[in-house]
Amino acid sequence: MQPLAGILVVAVEQAVAAPVCTRHLGDLGARVIKVENRVGGDFARAYDQTVHGMAAHFVWANRNKESIALDLKRPEGREILFRLVARADVLVQNLAPGAASRLGLGAEDLRSLDPRLITVDISGYGRGGPYAEARAYDLLVQAEAGSCAITGTPEEPAKPGIPIADIGAGMYALSSVLAALFARERSGLGAAISVGLFDVVTEWMGFALNQARYGGFDVRPNGLSSPMVSPYGAYRTGDGQIVVLGTTNDKEWRRLAADVLDRPDLAADPRYSTNSDRVMFRSELDAVISQWASQRSLEECRQAAETSGLGHARLNTPSEVLRHPQLERRDRWKAVESPVGPVEVLLPPFDVEGWEPRLDRIPALGEHTDAVLRELGYGDDELTVLRAGEII
């Protein structure tokens, strides 16, 4: 079973946010037709050539799609797009501010023609406001929304390593589309969905914004740790590895102190009785744990934490994650076809009994143009004319 089988998604998309949304719709069985600029296509195709000549970002976010290449600045190209949208259940776009309206893809106009259509506009700053027309990329939005200021260290703010603004916007768009499809079954009406990257990051900044508003202070970043919980961080072991240990409540702290560190005196010390207290004395506690870890191997540290029922992890690099036993033993890596041959991808995170995730081809630019246009009623002679006129 593929729960979205029969749903047609038209994606006028580029980069990460919208492609992540539509790839997951495709994972769930929707047919996704990706509309790309006939010259160059989605600019994420050119980020690098790491995957046998294809870009790592593009391979990640664009399986399960058909690609058609159009010149949307020409009326003939827009006519093809409108014919396609007329058949669609969902239209997703993340073009530059104002571009969708100039192309005739405004949500109000399209939904006035087809009230069942679900439109998704992904932008930097959402509808309205003084920043509505601002260009916005993941780093710019994260800086504007504050997440970079609570990442890294006080001396060196940092962007989180993965593009959380882009991914978050894509996933909120995904969940909104699923809700809109469900609502349409009851009401018969689609929806006009708008998702702003800035709104995503400020939503995820919730605890930090609450502390700024009600506590009167800004969270101070502290590297590979938590600004809110202590002890909770990374410690170098005697064999040169990094163990990550964390406590999330007072009982766990007492077990860490008494059972793992063999320091019942710390467990009983009133200075460390609550998490707020421990955050104040973070440096003292980190020094004790660092000394303990430095005298043991990674495996000894993890075994001690496991025996006491405490969370623990190893700091892995991406290359090490490729061989992670949790992925290998659950057969999470699968091969999908692409223009450069089979490539390895991860199964989607959902695991639902009876649902078979779709793992179809990553498309070449314009690979499906002729086939899709024939579905729309274009004949061979018309395709020849369109190609000669550089419309497709």
Side-chain angles (χ1 to χ4, degrees), residues 29-73:
R31 182 187 183 189
V32 179
I33 298 178
K34 182 181 181 78
V35 180
E36 301 187 66
N37 189 322
R38 60 175 297 278
V39 179
D42 179 343
F43 55 72
R45 286 182 178 272
Y47 279 174
D48 57 52
Q49 296 81 41
T50 304
V51 187
H52 307 310
M54 296 188 72
H57 280 75
F58 191 85
V59 168
W60 163 49
N62 287 283
R63 67 174 181 247
N64 298 327
K65 299 180 185 181
E66 301 166 49
S67 170
I68 69 170
L70 301 176
D71 183 348
L72 295 179
K73 295 180 179 179

Short mmCIF file of all heavy atoms in Angstrom, two decimals, residues 29-73:
data_model
loop_
_atom_site.label_atom_id
_atom_site.label_comp_id
_atom_site.label_asym_id
_atom_site.label_seq_id
_atom_site.Cartn_x
_atom_site.Cartn_y
_atom_site.Cartn_z
N GLY A 29 3.85 7.73 -2.05
CA GLY A 29 3.12 7.21 -3.20
C GLY A 29 2.57 8.23 -4.17
O GLY A 29 2.03 7.85 -5.21
N ALA A 30 2.67 9.52 -3.86
CA ALA A 30 2.16 10.53 -4.78
C ALA A 30 3.01 10.56 -6.05
O ALA A 30 4.21 10.28 -6.02
CB ALA A 30 2.16 11.91 -4.13
N ARG A 31 2.37 10.92 -7.14
CA ARG A 31 3.11 11.17 -8.38
C ARG A 31 3.57 12.62 -8.33
O ARG A 31 2.74 13.53 -8.20
CB ARG A 31 2.24 10.93 -9.61
CG ARG A 31 2.98 11.15 -10.92
CD ARG A 31 2.06 11.06 -12.11
NE ARG A 31 2.81 11.20 -13.36
CZ ARG A 31 2.25 11.34 -14.55
NH1 ARG A 31 0.91 11.33 -14.68
NH2 ARG A 31 3.00 11.47 -15.63
N VAL A 32 4.87 12.85 -8.44
CA VAL A 32 5.43 14.20 -8.35
C VAL A 32 6.06 14.55 -9.70
O VAL A 32 6.99 13.88 -10.15
CB VAL A 32 6.48 14.31 -7.23
CG1 VAL A 32 7.06 15.73 -7.18
CG2 VAL A 32 5.87 13.93 -5.89
N ILE A 33 5.55 15.61 -10.32
CA ILE A 33 6.13 16.12 -11.55
C ILE A 33 6.86 17.41 -11.22
O ILE A 33 6.27 18.40 -10.79
CB ILE A 33 5.06 16.35 -12.63
CG1 ILE A 33 4.38 15.02 -12.97
CG2 ILE A 33 5.68 16.97 -13.88
CD1 ILE A 33 3.27 15.14 -13.99
N LYS A 34 8.16 17.37 -11.41
CA LYS A 34 9.05 18.49 -11.06
C LYS A 34 9.25 19.35 -12.30
O LYS A 34 9.75 18.86 -13.32
CB LYS A 34 10.38 17.94 -10.56
CG LYS A 34 11.40 18.98 -10.10
CD LYS A 34 12.68 18.27 -9.65
CE LYS A 34 13.74 19.25 -9.17
NZ LYS A 34 13.46 19.73 -7.81
N VAL A 35 8.87 20.62 -12.22
CA VAL A 35 9.00 21.55 -13.33
C VAL A 35 10.28 22.34 -13.13
O VAL A 35 10.43 23.07 -12.14
CB VAL A 35 7.78 22.49 -13.41
CG1 VAL A 35 7.93 23.45 -14.58
CG2 VAL A 35 6.49 21.67 -13.55
N GLU A 36 11.21 22.21 -14.09
CA GLU A 36 12.51 22.86 -13.96
C GLU A 36 12.77 23.80 -15.14
O GLU A 36 12.23 23.63 -16.23
CB GLU A 36 13.62 21.80 -13.93
CG GLU A 36 13.50 20.81 -12.78
CD GLU A 36 14.70 19.90 -12.68
OE1 GLU A 36 15.80 20.42 -12.39
OE2 GLU A 36 14.55 18.68 -12.91
N ASN A 37 13.62 24.76 -14.88
CA ASN A 37 14.09 25.63 -15.94
C ASN A 37 14.81 24.79 -16.99
O ASN A 37 15.65 23.95 -16.64
CB ASN A 37 15.05 26.67 -15.36
CG ASN A 37 15.42 27.76 -16.34
OD1 ASN A 37 15.59 27.51 -17.53
ND2 ASN A 37 15.56 28.97 -15.84
N ARG A 38 14.49 25.01 -18.24
CA ARG A 38 15.08 24.16 -19.28
C ARG A 38 16.61 24.35 -19.39
O ARG A 38 17.30 23.49 -19.92
CB ARG A 38 14.44 24.42 -20.65
CG ARG A 38 14.57 25.82 -21.17
CD ARG A 38 13.99 25.92 -22.59
NE ARG A 38 14.72 25.09 -23.53
CZ ARG A 38 15.87 25.43 -24.11
NH1 ARG A 38 16.44 26.59 -23.83
NH2 ARG A 38 16.45 24.61 -24.95
N VAL A 39 17.12 25.46 -18.89
CA VAL A 39 18.56 25.69 -18.90
C VAL A 39 19.09 25.56 -17.47
O VAL A 39 18.86 26.41 -16.63
CB VAL A 39 18.92 27.08 -19.46
CG1 VAL A 39 20.43 27.29 -19.43
CG2 VAL A 39 18.37 27.26 -20.87
N GLY A 40 19.71 24.45 -17.19
CA GLY A 40 20.31 24.25 -15.87
C GLY A 40 19.42 23.55 -14.87
O GLY A 40 19.90 22.85 -14.00
N GLY A 41 18.10 23.77 -14.96
CA GLY A 41 17.19 23.12 -14.03
C GLY A 41 17.30 23.65 -12.62
O GLY A 41 17.78 24.76 -12.37
N ASP A 42 16.83 22.88 -11.68
CA ASP A 42 16.97 23.17 -10.25
C ASP A 42 18.43 23.47 -9.97
O ASP A 42 19.31 22.65 -10.24
CB ASP A 42 16.49 21.95 -9.46
CG ASP A 42 16.59 22.09 -7.96
OD1 ASP A 42 17.30 22.98 -7.48
OD2 ASP A 42 15.94 21.29 -7.26
N PHE A 43 18.72 24.66 -9.41
CA PHE A 43 20.13 25.02 -9.26
C PHE A 43 20.86 24.12 -8.27
O PHE A 43 22.10 24.10 -8.24
CB PHE A 43 20.32 26.50 -8.91
CG PHE A 43 19.59 27.00 -7.71
CD1 PHE A 43 19.96 26.64 -6.44
CD2 PHE A 43 18.51 27.88 -7.85
CE1 PHE A 43 19.31 27.13 -5.31
CE2 PHE A 43 17.85 28.38 -6.74
CZ PHE A 43 18.25 28.00 -5.46
N ALA A 44 20.12 23.34 -7.46
CA ALA A 44 20.80 22.38 -6.57
C ALA A 44 21.48 21.27 -7.36
O ALA A 44 22.35 20.57 -6.83
CB ALA A 44 19.81 21.79 -5.58
N ARG A 45 21.11 21.10 -8.63
CA ARG A 45 21.80 20.10 -9.45
C ARG A 45 23.28 20.43 -9.59
O ARG A 45 24.10 19.54 -9.84
CB ARG A 45 21.17 20.05 -10.85
CG ARG A 45 19.82 19.38 -10.94
CD ARG A 45 19.33 19.35 -12.38
NE ARG A 45 18.05 18.67 -12.54
CZ ARG A 45 17.90 17.36 -12.73
NH1 ARG A 45 18.98 16.59 -12.78
NH2 ARG A 45 16.70 16.83 -12.88
N ALA A 46 23.63 21.70 -9.45
CA ALA A 46 25.01 22.14 -9.70
C ALA A 46 25.78 22.44 -8.43
O ALA A 46 26.87 23.03 -8.49
CB ALA A 46 25.00 23.37 -10.61
N TYR A 47 25.26 22.08 -7.26
CA TYR A 47 25.98 22.36 -6.02
C TYR A 47 27.36 21.68 -5.99
O TYR A 47 28.32 22.24 -5.49
CB TYR A 47 25.17 21.90 -4.82
CG TYR A 47 24.08 22.86 -4.37
CD1 TYR A 47 23.18 22.48 -3.37
CD2 TYR A 47 23.94 24.12 -4.92
CE1 TYR A 47 22.18 23.35 -2.94
CE2 TYR A 47 22.94 24.98 -4.51
CZ TYR A 47 22.06 24.59 -3.51
OH TYR A 47 21.09 25.44 -3.09
N ASP A 48 27.42 20.45 -6.44
CA ASP A 48 28.68 19.71 -6.49
C ASP A 48 28.49 18.54 -7.45
O ASP A 48 27.44 18.43 -8.09
CB ASP A 48 29.12 19.24 -5.10
CG ASP A 48 28.08 18.36 -4.40
OD1 ASP A 48 27.63 17.38 -5.02
OD2 ASP A 48 27.73 18.65 -3.24
N GLN A 49 29.49 17.68 -7.54
CA GLN A 49 29.40 16.50 -8.41
C GLN A 49 29.79 15.24 -7.63
O GLN A 49 30.36 14.30 -8.16
CB GLN A 49 30.32 16.66 -9.63
CG GLN A 49 29.95 17.79 -10.57
CD GLN A 49 30.45 19.15 -10.09
OE1 GLN A 49 31.57 19.26 -9.59
NE2 GLN A 49 29.63 20.18 -10.22
N THR A 50 29.45 15.22 -6.35
CA THR A 50 29.97 14.19 -5.44
C THR A 50 29.45 12.80 -5.75
O THR A 50 30.19 11.81 -5.65
CB THR A 50 29.61 14.56 -3.99
OG1 THR A 50 30.12 15.85 -3.70
CG2 THR A 50 30.18 13.54 -3.02
N VAL A 51 28.18 12.68 -6.13
CA VAL A 51 27.55 11.35 -6.29
C VAL A 51 27.71 10.92 -7.74
O VAL A 51 26.79 11.06 -8.56
CB VAL A 51 26.08 11.38 -5.86
CG1 VAL A 51 25.50 9.97 -5.88
CG2 VAL A 51 25.92 12.00 -4.47
N HIS A 52 28.88 10.43 -8.08
CA HIS A 52 29.17 9.98 -9.46
C HIS A 52 28.82 11.05 -10.48
O HIS A 52 28.32 10.75 -11.57
CB HIS A 52 28.40 8.69 -9.77
CG HIS A 52 28.59 7.59 -8.78
ND1 HIS A 52 29.84 7.17 -8.34
CD2 HIS A 52 27.70 6.81 -8.11
CE1 HIS A 52 29.71 6.20 -7.47
NE2 HIS A 52 28.43 5.96 -7.31
N GLY A 53 29.04 12.31 -10.13
CA GLY A 53 28.74 13.40 -11.05
C GLY A 53 27.48 14.16 -10.74
O GLY A 53 27.23 15.22 -11.32
N MET A 54 26.65 13.63 -9.84
CA MET A 54 25.44 14.34 -9.42
C MET A 54 25.67 15.01 -8.07
O MET A 54 26.54 14.60 -7.30
CB MET A 54 24.24 13.38 -9.33
CG MET A 54 23.84 12.78 -10.65
SD MET A 54 22.28 11.84 -10.54
CE MET A 54 21.10 13.18 -10.37
N ALA A 55 24.85 16.02 -7.78
CA ALA A 55 25.00 16.78 -6.53
C ALA A 55 24.40 16.02 -5.36
O ALA A 55 23.31 15.44 -5.47
CB ALA A 55 24.35 18.15 -6.66
N ALA A 56 25.10 16.06 -4.23
CA ALA A 56 24.64 15.33 -3.03
C ALA A 56 23.27 15.81 -2.57
O ALA A 56 22.41 15.00 -2.21
CB ALA A 56 25.67 15.50 -1.91
N HIS A 57 23.05 17.14 -2.56
CA HIS A 57 21.75 17.66 -2.16
C HIS A 57 20.65 17.18 -3.10
O HIS A 57 19.56 16.79 -2.67
CB HIS A 57 21.76 19.20 -2.16
CG HIS A 57 22.37 19.82 -0.95
ND1 HIS A 57 23.74 19.85 -0.75
CD2 HIS A 57 21.81 20.44 0.12
CE1 HIS A 57 23.99 20.47 0.40
NE2 HIS A 57 22.85 20.84 0.95
N PHE A 58 20.92 17.21 -4.40
CA PHE A 58 19.88 16.86 -5.36
C PHE A 58 19.51 15.39 -5.25
O PHE A 58 18.32 15.03 -5.26
CB PHE A 58 20.35 17.17 -6.79
CG PHE A 58 19.25 17.09 -7.79
CD1 PHE A 58 18.40 18.17 -8.02
CD2 PHE A 58 18.99 15.91 -8.49
CE1 PHE A 58 17.35 18.08 -8.91
CE2 PHE A 58 17.95 15.81 -9.38
CZ PHE A 58 17.12 16.91 -9.60
N VAL A 59 20.48 14.53 -5.09
CA VAL A 59 20.21 13.10 -4.95
C VAL A 59 19.35 12.85 -3.70
O VAL A 59 18.42 12.04 -3.72
CB VAL A 59 21.53 12.31 -4.89
CG1 VAL A 59 21.30 10.87 -4.43
CG2 VAL A 59 22.22 12.35 -6.24
N TRP A 60 19.67 13.54 -2.63
CA TRP A 60 18.94 13.38 -1.36
C TRP A 60 17.47 13.77 -1.50
O TRP A 60 16.59 13.06 -0.98
CB TRP A 60 19.64 14.24 -0.30
CG TRP A 60 18.88 14.54 0.94
CD1 TRP A 60 18.19 13.67 1.73
CD2 TRP A 60 18.75 15.83 1.56
NE1 TRP A 60 17.65 14.33 2.81
CE2 TRP A 60 17.97 15.65 2.73
CE3 TRP A 60 19.22 17.09 1.25
CZ2 TRP A 60 17.65 16.71 3.57
CZ3 TRP A 60 18.91 18.14 2.10
CH2 TRP A 60 18.13 17.94 3.24
N ALA A 61 17.16 14.85 -2.20
CA ALA A 61 15.82 15.43 -2.14
C ALA A 61 14.97 15.22 -3.38
O ALA A 61 13.88 15.79 -3.46
CB ALA A 61 15.93 16.94 -1.87
N ASN A 62 15.40 14.38 -4.33
CA ASN A 62 14.66 14.37 -5.60
C ASN A 62 14.38 13.00 -6.19
O ASN A 62 14.10 12.89 -7.39
CB ASN A 62 15.40 15.24 -6.62
CG ASN A 62 15.24 16.70 -6.31
OD1 ASN A 62 14.21 17.31 -6.57
ND2 ASN A 62 16.28 17.28 -5.71
N ARG A 63 14.42 11.96 -5.38
CA ARG A 63 13.94 10.68 -5.91
C ARG A 63 12.41 10.74 -6.04
O ARG A 63 11.75 11.65 -5.57
CB ARG A 63 14.37 9.54 -5.00
CG ARG A 63 13.72 9.52 -3.62
CD ARG A 63 14.13 8.26 -2.88
NE ARG A 63 13.53 8.17 -1.55
CZ ARG A 63 14.20 8.23 -0.41
NH1 ARG A 63 15.51 8.43 -0.43
NH2 ARG A 63 13.59 8.12 0.75
N ASN A 64 11.87 9.73 -6.71
CA ASN A 64 10.41 9.60 -6.86
C ASN A 64 9.79 10.76 -7.64
O ASN A 64 8.64 11.13 -7.40
CB ASN A 64 9.71 9.53 -5.49
CG ASN A 64 10.13 8.32 -4.68
OD1 ASN A 64 10.43 7.27 -5.23
ND2 ASN A 64 10.17 8.46 -3.37
N LYS A 65 10.54 11.34 -8.57
CA LYS A 65 10.00 12.48 -9.30
C LYS A 65 10.21 12.30 -10.81
O LYS A 65 11.14 11.61 -11.24
CB LYS A 65 10.67 13.78 -8.84
CG LYS A 65 10.45 14.09 -7.37
CD LYS A 65 11.13 15.38 -6.94
CE LYS A 65 10.97 15.59 -5.43
NZ LYS A 65 11.59 16.85 -4.99
N GLU A 66 9.33 12.94 -11.56
CA GLU A 66 9.50 13.06 -13.00
C GLU A 66 9.89 14.51 -13.28
O GLU A 66 9.31 15.43 -12.70
CB GLU A 66 8.21 12.72 -13.73
CG GLU A 66 7.70 11.31 -13.45
CD GLU A 66 6.25 11.13 -13.89
OE1 GLU A 66 5.93 11.50 -15.04
OE2 GLU A 66 5.45 10.64 -13.08
N SER A 67 10.85 14.71 -14.16
CA SER A 67 11.31 16.06 -14.46
C SER A 67 10.87 16.49 -15.85
O SER A 67 11.07 15.76 -16.83
CB SER A 67 12.85 16.13 -14.38
OG SER A 67 13.32 17.36 -14.90
N ILE A 68 10.23 17.67 -15.91
CA ILE A 68 9.97 18.28 -17.21
C ILE A 68 10.66 19.63 -17.23
O ILE A 68 10.72 20.33 -16.21
CB ILE A 68 8.47 18.41 -17.53
CG1 ILE A 68 7.79 19.44 -16.64
CG2 ILE A 68 7.78 17.06 -17.42
CD1 ILE A 68 6.38 19.75 -17.09
N ALA A 69 11.23 19.98 -18.39
CA ALA A 69 12.01 21.21 -18.52
C ALA A 69 11.25 22.20 -19.39
O ALA A 69 10.92 21.88 -20.54
CB ALA A 69 13.38 20.90 -19.13
N LEU A 70 10.96 23.38 -18.83
CA LEU A 70 10.17 24.39 -19.53
C LEU A 70 10.82 25.76 -19.40
O LEU A 70 11.49 26.04 -18.40
CB LEU A 70 8.76 24.49 -18.94
CG LEU A 70 7.87 23.25 -18.95
CD1 LEU A 70 6.56 23.56 -18.24
CD2 LEU A 70 7.61 22.78 -20.38
N ASP A 71 10.56 26.62 -20.36
CA ASP A 71 10.88 28.03 -20.23
C ASP A 71 9.60 28.74 -19.81
O ASP A 71 8.73 29.03 -20.63
CB ASP A 71 11.39 28.59 -21.57
CG ASP A 71 11.81 30.06 -21.45
OD1 ASP A 71 11.51 30.69 -20.41
OD2 ASP A 71 12.43 30.57 -22.39
N LEU A 72 9.47 29.01 -18.52
CA LEU A 72 8.24 29.60 -17.99
C LEU A 72 8.14 31.09 -18.25
O LEU A 72 7.11 31.70 -17.93
CB LEU A 72 8.13 29.32 -16.49
CG LEU A 72 7.97 27.84 -16.12
CD1 LEU A 72 7.90 27.67 -14.61
CD2 LEU A 72 6.74 27.23 -16.77
N LYS A 73 9.19 31.68 -18.81
CA LYS A 73 9.09 33.09 -19.19
C LYS A 73 8.36 33.27 -20.50
O LYS A 73 7.97 34.39 -20.85
CB LYS A 73 10.50 33.70 -19.28
CG LYS A 73 11.22 33.75 -17.94
CD LYS A 73 12.60 34.38 -18.07
CE LYS A 73 13.29 34.44 -16.72
NZ LYS A 73 14.66 35.02 -16.82
#
